[in-house]
Amino acid sequence: MSGPEWKLSDDLKTVTITFPTSPPVQFVLDAAAVDDLLRNLGELRAHMTPPVPADYQIGQKVAAIPDPRWYTEPEMLSGDSLIHVRDPRFGWLHYLLPRASAQQLAQYLTRQAEDEPCPPTRPN
């Protein structure tokens, strides 16, 4: 049995997922339902095994989002850095970096912005 069939409607407002069961089962989801599905699948994936690797293997080919919108603000209680990044596939993603990690990220980004292109660096 092959996997489900995914189809975006001509008006770009719904996705139809057809599962190859007998009889076939079909779901039609609007953008809000897709957002809910992604959020819930993400939460469930976070608890599955094997886990997402803790470290990233630098140099992999990725489908990067060019120049995404982003915002940063201090977290109200601790003053750590809240980073908000817009991914057109998954919505706004939010990350909380402790001050030391935020400083390290700032150093890496500053170095990359000022230096000639060079091999990627890995944090400690």
Side-chain angles (χ1 to χ4, degrees):
M1 179 187 303
S2 62
E5 177 184 313
W6 305 80
K7 185 172 187 272
L8 181 61
S9 66
D10 291 339
D11 66 1
L12 309 179
K13 294 186 184 242
T14 61
V15 170
T16 301
I17 308 168
T18 305
F19 291 90
T21 56
S22 185
V25 174
Q26 198 170 70
F27 293 98
V28 178
L29 307 172
D30 63 7
V34 170
D35 289 342
D36 187 56
L37 179 66
L38 289 170
R39 185 174 34 263
N40 283 294
L41 284 174
E43 288 297 323
L44 291 170
R45 176 60 183 103
H47 298 287
M48 291 176 72
T49 57
V52 173
D55 294 314
Y56 181 76
Q57 187 66 35
I58 291 182
Q60 296 179 60
K61 186 172 184 173
V62 297
I65 303 301
D67 199 16
R69 291 192 63 111
W70 59 270
Y71 298 93
T72 183
E73 62 182 319
E75 194 273 331
M76 300 268 286
L77 296 176
S78 67
D80 291 336
S81 292
L82 265 173
I83 300 174
H84 314 283
V85 180
R86 182 185 176 274
D87 185 307
R89 302 161 300 183
F90 305 114
W92 283 96
L93 304 174
H94 313 280
Y95 304 95
L96 180 63
L97 293 182
R99 288 174 184 249
S101 292
Q103 288 172 341
Q104 188 176 35
L105 177 60
Q107 290 170 0
Y108 284 133
L109 291 174
T110 299
R111 188 177 323 137
Q112 290 172 4
E114 293 173 349
D115 290 349
E116 292 296 317
C118 61
T121 56
R122 178 184 287 280
N124 296 338

